[in-house]
Amino acid sequence: MNIGYVAMSGLRLVDLELLQLGLSFPAVARRAREIEALPSLGLLTLAGMSPPHIGAEYLEVRDISEVPDRFDAIALSTLSATSKEAYAMAAKFREKGIPVILGGLHATLAPDEAAKHVDSVVIGEGEVVWPEVLRDLERGELKPMYDARRSGPFDFRHAPMPRFDLLSPDRYPRFTVQTQRGCPYACEFCAASMRLSPTFRTKPVEKIIAEVKRLKELFGRPFVEFADDNTFADKRHGRALMQALGKESLRWFTETDVSVADDEDLLKMMRDAGCHQVLIGFESPRFDSLNGVEKKSNWKARRTDRYLRAVETIQRHGITVNGCFILGLDGDGTDSFEHVFRFVEESGLYDVQVTYLTPFPGTPLWKRLSEEGRLLSEEATERCTLFDINFRPTDMSVEELKNGFRDLTRRLYAPEFVEQRNQRFRGHLRAKVRNR
């Protein structure tokens, strides 16, 4: 038996004018290429669980014409934005009698919808049920649905080695490794790994280092993006990881929360272990905008008064910060664009990313906006890109949100403003050298 592990590739935007505007700025175009080139760690991990007698091939495609029909089954992964394309691809395989198994975030968020288009849907963490899926597939007894949530969270002590060897060495400028899954917080809009498994937990450090070593063995000096929602939510695990990672001469990028700035010893360990940049979801510089967004303890809103100091502290340690902001939050009017710009200017953020508030199917945000009648379309999953609008804001029109977003994009990514922030960061580095 030979299984094709197929990921939908390429950036998707409905708003082509915004896409062209963004790609006209070097900083945006660079990050877009990096994201587009990241391999699907989920599929590579499942391939790593396959027994030797089952063949595995990894492919990234945009349409059905790119996928050969030599496979006995297809394991397909898609995000919401590409779900309709994935369904069309599945239909082509099924016409040829090739069963399609769909998993990933969208399949978990909208399993009943997905089940209409494929032979089998995997809900939740694929590692939990994949051995069963393979056994049933070989017997010709594939079930229409496998719900991993019924068996509890996957034990990371048994995490398989992803099949990094299936990747072309010339295709990927960056590789992904996961150090934890889930998040201790509960943001209403979040559509990340916490939706696959609400239980936050970390992977054993020795497992992570083994994956890093495997990547180095295959690709020499890889640049790694940790595929985490919040790498340093568990500070004890973070320190243990940094101590081990410091021996690997690795350069890496990750996502975390602003509390990492509270621990300067950890920041030093991160810098010495090769941290290139941290991406932090600030979401908004205003308390009123964030009030209630995080449902467990209102954690994000309670940290806004520390945002500026946090950026200064992290970047002073030689680690750049990519600050992320969400436009269109409830209560935000047209003045919110200026608030974001002024924060970026005052903080000196090295990189910045702005997105629209995006209701993903199956999230609390989607449910609330649907009940309030504020979704522009319940079927427009292709707009779940973070850069397309599919809802009505509370304090401005859709057109005002769109126009304000574009104007802010032009200002944030203007070459002279980017260079101004870069020079400020380099000033931190020069001062650090002088003070040693």
Side-chain angles (χ1 to χ4, degrees):
M1 177 173 286
N2 191 31
I3 298 178
Y5 292 83
V6 181
M8 304 297 297
S9 69
L11 293 174
R12 304 291 196 281
L13 261 74
V14 175
D15 188 344
L16 296 181
E17 290 184 18
L18 180 61
L19 176 62
Q20 292 305 314
L21 173 64
L23 294 180
S24 69
F25 298 111
V28 179
R30 170 180 50 79
R31 183 58 184 153
R33 288 192 299 270
E34 291 168 354
I35 293 174
E36 188 172 18
L38 288 173
S40 172
L41 185 60
L43 288 174
L44 294 173
T45 300
L46 295 186
M49 300 185 77
S50 298
H53 70 277
I54 297 180
E57 187 174 341
Y58 175 79
L59 302 97
E60 293 180 7
V61 300
R62 290 191 69 103
D63 59 68
I64 185 64
S65 63
E66 300 178 31
V67 185
D69 57 8
R70 61 177 175 268
F71 300 111
D72 298 296
I74 296 292
L76 183 60
S77 180
T78 183
L79 299 174
S80 295
T82 53
S83 59
K84 292 178 180 176
E85 297 173 56
Y87 296 156
M89 181 178 293
K92 296 290 186 181
F93 282 111
R94 298 177 80 195
E95 287 174 3
K96 299 176 181 180
I98 302 173
V100 177
I101 306 154
L102 180 67
L105 190 55
H106 185 74
T108 296
L109 293 171
D112 293 335
E113 172 200 291
K116 299 174 184 177
H117 302 277
V118 298
D119 297 278
S120 186
V121 176
V122 172
I123 303 172
E125 299 177 285
E127 299 102 323
V128 176
V129 297
W130 197 242
E132 180 185 0
V133 172
L134 294 179
R135 287 194 298 270
D136 290 350
L137 184 62
E138 287 193 286
R139 296 172 184 150
E141 299 173 354
L142 199 62
K143 298 181 182 69
M145 201 165 285
Y146 296 84
D147 193 343
R149 297 171 299 188
R150 296 173 181 168
S151 303
F154 178 66
D155 188 341
F156 268 140
R157 291 176 300 174
H158 307 304
M161 176 65 69
R163 287 289 305 275
F164 296 125
D165 59 295
L166 298 179
L167 299 176
S168 169
D170 302 323
R171 166 75 173 81
Y172 301 96
R174 297 185 174 207
F175 301 89
T176 46
V177 170
Q178 190 172 50
T179 77
Q180 54 87 25
R181 190 171 292 168
C183 184
Y185 308 115
C187 295
E188 183 186 37
F189 55 78
C190 185
S193 74
M194 65 171 292
R195 302 298 174 205
L196 293 171
S197 175
T199 304
F200 173 76
R201 60 209 184 280
T202 57
K203 183 184 289 186
V205 169
E206 60 270 20
K207 286 276 187 180
I208 301 167
I209 297 302
E211 293 181 29
V212 168
K213 289 181 180 294
R214 179 60 172 154
L215 283 171
K216 291 169 64 177
E217 176 187 324
L218 290 168
F219 305 109
R221 295 179 59 83
F223 190 103
V224 168
E225 287 209 12
F226 289 120
D228 304 331
D229 295 337
N230 195 336
T231 299
F232 296 100
D234 182 334
K235 300 297 189 297
R236 178 182 294 183
H237 180 265
R239 291 189 193 94
L241 177 59
M242 293 305 98
Q243 188 172 11
L245 206 58
K247 305 170 185 176
E248 298 301 324
S249 300
L250 189 74
R251 294 180 70 240
W252 50 274
F253 162 102
T254 198
E255 299 183 26
T256 190
D257 66 60
V258 70
S259 70
V260 73
D262 299 340
D263 191 334
E264 296 208 33
D265 288 337
L266 177 58
L267 287 173
K268 293 174 185 175
M269 294 178 75
M270 291 164 59
R271 177 197 63 210
D272 294 343
C275 183
H276 173 70
Q277 184 173 85
V278 291
L279 184 149
I280 296 176
F282 295 107
E283 324 310 359
S284 171
R286 299 177 63 246
F287 174 89
D288 290 345
S289 300
L290 290 180
N291 193 18
V293 163
E294 197 281 303
K295 297 301 183 183
K296 285 185 179 178
S297 61
N298 209 23
W299 190 85
K300 288 209 171 188
R302 292 189 293 106
R303 302 286 301 204
T304 50
D305 61 339
R306 310 182 204 182
Y307 276 4
L308 285 171
R309 186 169 68 252
V311 175
E312 168 74 18
T313 300
I314 296 168
Q315 296 198 151
R316 181 163 39 84
H317 282 78
I319 300 169
T320 63
V321 177
N322 188 335
C324 297
F325 299 89
I326 296 174
L327 282 305
L329 291 165
D330 285 3
D332 275 355
T334 54
D335 59 343
S336 60
F337 307 108
E338 187 64 22
H339 289 310
V340 170
F341 183 82
R342 292 304 174 197
F343 178 87
V344 174
E345 184 177 50
E346 187 175 353
S347 67
L349 275 170
Y350 188 87
D351 274 330
V352 60
Q353 175 179 296
V354 290
T355 65
Y356 291 119
L357 180 67
T358 301
F360 287 87
T363 60
L365 177 64
W366 175 281
K367 184 176 185 293
R368 179 171 68 83
L369 296 188
S370 177
E371 291 171 349
E372 294 174 1
R374 291 172 54 196
L375 291 178
L376 299 181
S377 170
E378 300 248 354
E379 289 74 42
T381 52
E382 68 276 7
R383 288 187 168 272
C384 295
T385 63
L386 300 177
F387 303 100
D388 289 295
I389 303 173
N390 189 32
F391 76 104
R392 295 182 182 85
T394 57
D395 288 59
M396 57 181 147
S397 68
V398 170
E399 199 63 24
E400 286 174 325
L401 176 57
K402 180 186 292 185
N403 291 337
F405 188 94
R406 291 187 182 186
D407 181 61
L408 179 62
T409 297
R410 293 186 183 95
R411 297 174 69 193
L412 288 174
Y413 301 118
E416 60 274 14
F417 189 47
V418 172
E419 180 57 26
Q420 173 187 323
R421 303 195 318 266
N422 289 357
Q423 285 184 0
R424 183 167 169 178
F425 177 73
R426 290 193 289 269
H428 283 308
L429 298 185
R430 288 192 293 270
K432 192 170 187 63
V433 170
R434 286 196 300 269
N435 292 332
R436 282 179 177 173

